[in-house]
Amino acid sequence: MTMSVARSEREALCDLLEALGPDAPTLCEGWATRELAAHLALRERRPDAAVGILLAPLRRHTARVQARIGAHEWEDLVAMLRTGPPRFSPFALPGVDARANLTEMYVHHEDVRRAQPDWQPREGDGERYRALEGSLMKVGRLLLRSSPVTVRLDPGTGQPFVARSRESVGGVTVVGSPDELTLWCFGREKHARVELIGSESDVAAVRAAHRGF
């Protein structure tokens, strides 16, 4: 059976975590690799605590559980992440991992890769590109919901698409590979290699707006 892009990204991320150790930097403010790995493990293994990722009133509980998970031996923590969701996890349902973990694993893999001083862009991959482009077509509206102007994403396939529609005149087209557009839509502004095309005011408005979940 062909490995999903989400699974490939998980494996590559775990390989990188093993190589770098628990104290390497990431692009996630305040998190080294240990905290990032604990976040991913919590998300799959403790749904009771994972809701605090999105709901502010529960964030203290989430932080406590994440700290306990992060206290595992590093090798065990990485193995926990590599193994994937346990049987009782919603992510273990057929097809859920491949869909729900696609951007999560890709973005956090790049959060680790691009925080290292010697990082280099990866070679393009058609399967990864198609998967990420398809995901952006589905969730772009949610990721860009705060944009005050229309945002079009151009992944270089000849088929730009509107990810966020607004009634105001104008708008911004963001050009880049599906990899880079994904990182940009998830708020990695400084580290995504994209070009924003539009009026100066529209571009400034899009840059200032929150992106991501």
Side-chain angles (χ1 to χ4, degrees):
M1 185 171 65
T2 303
M3 184 182 296
S4 70
V5 175
R7 186 72 220 185
S8 297
E9 292 297 314
R10 182 193 297 272
E11 291 288 344
L13 171 58
C14 288
D15 289 345
L16 184 57
L17 291 174
E18 286 182 343
L20 293 174
D23 302 313
T26 77
L27 298 185
C28 300
E29 186 176 356
W31 283 1
T33 42
R34 180 181 294 279
E35 287 75 28
L36 188 145
H39 159 78
L40 290 171
L42 173 144
R43 182 173 166 272
E44 294 182 326
R45 293 170 177 268
R46 288 292 304 271
D48 63 303
V51 292
I53 296 171
L54 297 176
L55 299 178
L58 298 176
R59 284 178 187 165
R60 185 172 297 179
H61 173 58
T62 299
R64 286 196 297 265
V65 175
Q66 182 170 308
R68 288 199 294 271
I69 293 174
H72 282 77
E73 292 294 329
W74 180 240
E75 293 78 8
D76 295 337
L77 180 55
V78 176
M80 193 185 302
L81 178 58
R82 190 187 293 276
T83 301
R87 286 185 301 171
F88 59 81
S89 171
F91 290 95
L93 294 172
V96 173
D97 177 60
R99 294 191 299 271
N101 278 329
L102 168 62
T103 54
E104 186 79 7
M105 293 299 165
Y106 170 72
V107 170
H108 284 316
H109 183 197
E110 291 299 317
D111 282 337
V112 178
R113 289 187 69 255
R114 299 189 185 208
Q116 310 314 311
D118 57 348
W119 83 274
Q120 295 293 328
R122 284 194 268 172
E123 291 185 5
D125 179 275
E127 184 179 3
R128 187 175 72 241
Y129 280 6
R130 286 189 294 274
L132 291 174
E133 182 179 354
S135 177
L136 287 178
M137 287 181 174
K138 295 175 182 177
V139 302
R141 184 177 182 84
L142 178 60
L143 296 173
L144 301 171
R145 63 191 180 280
S146 296
S147 174
V149 300
T150 295
V151 180
R152 304 171 189 86
L153 301 180
D154 183 352
T157 58
Q159 295 180 320
F161 58 94
V162 175
R164 181 57 169 150
S165 178
R166 291 292 195 185
E167 294 181 358
S168 57
V169 177
V172 171
T173 298
V174 188
V175 182
S177 71
D179 287 28
E180 303 298 333
L181 290 174
T182 298
L183 291 172
W184 182 83
C185 285
F186 275 87
R188 275 58 174 182
E189 173 87 35
K190 296 179 181 178
H191 303 277
R193 297 186 171 185
V194 299
E195 179 184 6
L196 275 65
I197 301 173
S199 70
E200 185 176 338
S201 60
D202 281 355
V203 168
V206 169
R207 288 192 187 280
H210 171 78
R211 293 189 301 282
F213 291 122

